[in-house]
Every structure is written in structure tokens, then in C-alpha cells.
Amino acid sequence: MPNKSPGPQIKDKDQYEALRDKGYSKEKSARIANSKGAEKRGGHAKKYEDQSKKEIYAEAKKVGIEGRSKMTKGELIKALRRN
């Protein structure tokens, strides 16, 4: 990305740019760049299958997945994994 600022909401702009250069989506790059130490924690998140549809829906909303209100729990999980 030639000299284009990702915006003030991105905490780690270098990491964001590196992820975008690797082909990650804008949303996923921002989510990773804004997480505090996520690369150090690892393995602490509950599996999607162990969460309620309400919890999965909230995550899909946070990520910005379109059409989420009409998706089943399984479809939401697939959409989150693709994003």
C-alpha cells in the first residue's frame, strides 16, 4: 500500500501494513493490529462450536460480516473463519 494511512483507529500501523502486504483483508489486518499481545497469548479463545449463537453473532458484528442476521450458527462460524 503506497503511503496510504490505514486510519487513526489502527494501533500498530506497521503490523497492519505487513498483514495487508501478505494478502489479509482490511478487517482481519485491523483486528490483528489492534489486539494487544494476541500473538503472545494464543490458545485461550473458546472454540466457536462451544459458544452460543448470540456470542458468535456478536463476534460477527464486531468483525463486520454482512448478512449475519439471516445466518445460522454454522454459517456464522464459516463466515468468521473465512474472514
Side-chain angles (χ1 to χ4, degrees), residues 1-35:
M1 297 181 84
N3 297 335
K4 181 156 169 82
S5 174
Q9 68 278 12
I10 304 298
K11 293 178 184 175
D12 187 342
K13 293 179 188 207
D14 292 333
Q15 184 180 28
Y16 174 86
E17 294 297 334
L19 292 167
R20 291 291 292 142
D21 290 342
K22 287 182 179 180
Y24 284 76
S25 69
K26 290 179 183 179
E27 293 83 9
K28 189 167 189 173
S29 298
R31 192 170 64 241
I32 293 169
N34 286 339
S35 65

Side-chain angles (χ1 to χ4, degrees), residues 25-67:
S25 69
K26 290 179 183 179
E27 293 83 9
K28 189 167 189 173
S29 298
R31 192 170 64 241
I32 293 169
N34 286 339
S35 65
K36 253 189 179 174
E39 68 281 351
K40 295 175 188 167
R41 290 190 302 247
H44 294 261
K46 288 183 0 184
K47 293 181 182 180
Y48 288 132
E49 291 78 10
D50 295 339
Q51 297 180 38
S52 70
K53 182 179 178 184
K54 187 176 181 179
E55 291 172 308
I56 295 168
Y57 180 88
E59 182 67 23
K61 184 176 182 180
K62 187 167 80 172
V63 174
I65 293 174
E66 295 189 21

